């Protein structure tokens, strides 16, 4: 079975400060990890993904995420937060099942990021 | 531009009515999904389909029905058996499910309100 945990329902950060949104995962095989962002009354937008290779993944809007296999984490980061980054962020994971097909994406519960001016 | 189109954006349902939410994609994706999102909460899977004419129940399928007669279309019907249908509904799709490299592409959602 695969699972994702986002331990913080809410993260507040001042504009210009660095931000981190936490995500930990559990899979039986190699993880394929994703971050999505959702603005109010909109669908989820893809930010970045980790498949293999460098542990630091760069994505859209200046976001990056660090894959840490030993800690089974994939935290989302940005060096300098903007008020416009305020949104709901979802971490997701999938792996390959025993049949050789990819499992469905499993989503975390979401973290509401608020960047204060 | 390729993408997923959900319609309508807002939908109002009277008690006891069935309503159908549309989801169309022109990405040539094999798999399609329906999620329900309640305020301040995460996503819950209602139904999914990996190929035409086949679909599977998700975690909260009771009170919902779907069809997949065409690859590009995956409509969701909210029946009168769904006692608390007020929510934000999201449709998603992904290419061939044999490859885990792909995430999902989402539509912009339909907000359903019972009046």
């Amino acid at each position: 079975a695969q699972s994702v945990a986002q331990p913080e329902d809410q993260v507040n950060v001042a504009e210009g400060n660095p931000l981190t949104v936490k995500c930990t995962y559990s899979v039986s095989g190699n993880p394929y990890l994703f971050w999505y962002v959702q603005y109010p009354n909109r669908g989820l937008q893809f930010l970045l993904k980790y498949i293999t290779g460098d542990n630091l993944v760069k994505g859209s809007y200046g976001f990056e995420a660090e894959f840490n296999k030993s800690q089974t984490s994939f935290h989302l980061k940005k060096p300098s937060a903007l008020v416009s980054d305020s949104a709901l962020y979802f971490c997701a994971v999938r792996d390959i099942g025993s049949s050789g097909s990819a499992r469905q994406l499993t989503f975390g519960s979401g973290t509401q990021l608020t960047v204060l001016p | 531009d390729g993408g997923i189109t959900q319609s309508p954006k807002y939908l109002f349902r009277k008690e006891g009515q069935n309503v159908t939410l549309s989801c169309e994609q022109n990405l040539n994706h094999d798999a399609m999904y329906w999620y329900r999102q309640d305020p301040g909460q995460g996503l819950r899977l209602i139904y999914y389909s990996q190929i035409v004419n086949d679909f599977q129940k998700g975690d909260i399928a009771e009170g919902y029905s779907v069809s997949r007669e065409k690859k590009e279309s995956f409509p969701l019907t909210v029946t009168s058996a769904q006692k608390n249908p007020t929510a934000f509904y999201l449709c998603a799709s992904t290419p061939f499910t044999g490859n885990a490299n792909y995430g999902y592409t989402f539509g912009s959602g339909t907000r359903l309100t019972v009046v």
Side-chain angles (χ1 to χ4, degrees):
Chain A
Q2 56 189 34
S3 65
V4 175
Q6 292 182 242
E8 300 159 318
D9 292 336
Q10 175 84 38
V11 170
N12 295 326
V13 64
E15 188 174 29
N17 283 1
L19 70 87
T20 299
V21 182
K22 295 180 180 177
C23 172
T24 59
Y25 66 90
S26 174
V27 296
S28 54
N30 292 320
Y32 297 74
L33 293 151
F34 303 80
W35 274 103
Y36 289 85
V37 60
Q38 184 183 32
Y39 297 100
N41 294 312
R42 303 296 297 275
L44 276 65
Q45 298 176 29
F46 170 79
L47 275 180
L48 52 79
K49 67 179 177 182
Y50 172 82
I51 303 301
T52 187
D54 288 342
N55 290 341
L56 186 63
V57 179
K58 294 188 183 296
S60 307
Y61 313 119
F63 284 93
E64 56 190 28
E66 186 169 11
F67 171 67
N68 188 317
K69 188 172 183 177
S70 63
Q71 297 185 6
T72 61
S73 67
F74 189 56
H75 301 330
L76 182 69
K77 300 182 179 184
K78 187 173 183 181
S80 179
L82 300 172
V83 172
S84 57
D85 293 330
S86 299
L88 187 58
Y89 290 81
F90 289 96
C91 182
V93 69
R94 69 191 315 189
D95 68 352
I96 302 296
S98 55
S99 65
S101 293
R103 296 187 207 274
Q104 297 170 35
L105 266 181
T106 296
F107 289 89
S109 55
T111 299
Q112 181 66 47
L113 172 67
T114 300
V115 181
L116 305 168
Chain B
D1 287 337
I4 297 182
T5 301
Q6 288 188 242
S7 61
K9 190 171 178 65
Y10 298 96
L11 186 57
F12 297 90
R13 191 195 93 167
K14 293 182 179 179
E15 296 278 355
Q17 260 186 346
N18 291 356
V19 291
T20 297
L21 284 60
S22 171
C23 178
E24 302 276 335
Q25 55 101 354
N26 60 4
L27 300 165
N28 199 33
H29 284 177
D30 293 298
M32 298 186 73
Y33 305 83
W34 274 106
Y35 288 91
R36 170 178 172 143
Q37 185 178 27
D38 292 284
Q41 297 193 21
L43 307 175
R44 292 187 289 170
L45 181 64
I46 304 172
Y47 267 99
Y48 64 99
S49 168
Q50 295 182 321
I51 57 172
V52 175
N53 292 323
D54 186 56
F55 48 83
Q56 306 295 328
K57 292 182 179 180
D59 301 319
I60 55 164
E62 185 175 352
Y64 300 97
S65 66
V66 294
S67 63
R68 186 86 186 277
E69 297 176 0
K70 299 185 297 182
K71 187 175 183 178
E72 56 270 24
S73 179
F74 191 41
L76 174 73
T77 296
V78 184
T79 74
S80 57
Q82 171 50 240
K83 298 307 179 188
N84 185 21
T86 294
F88 191 53
Y89 290 86
L90 287 163
C91 181
S93 70
T94 192
F96 172 59
T97 54
N99 189 333
N101 289 5
Y102 297 100
Y104 292 179
T105 300
F106 283 84
S108 56
T110 292
R111 184 163 297 283
L112 174 62
T113 304
V114 173
V115 296

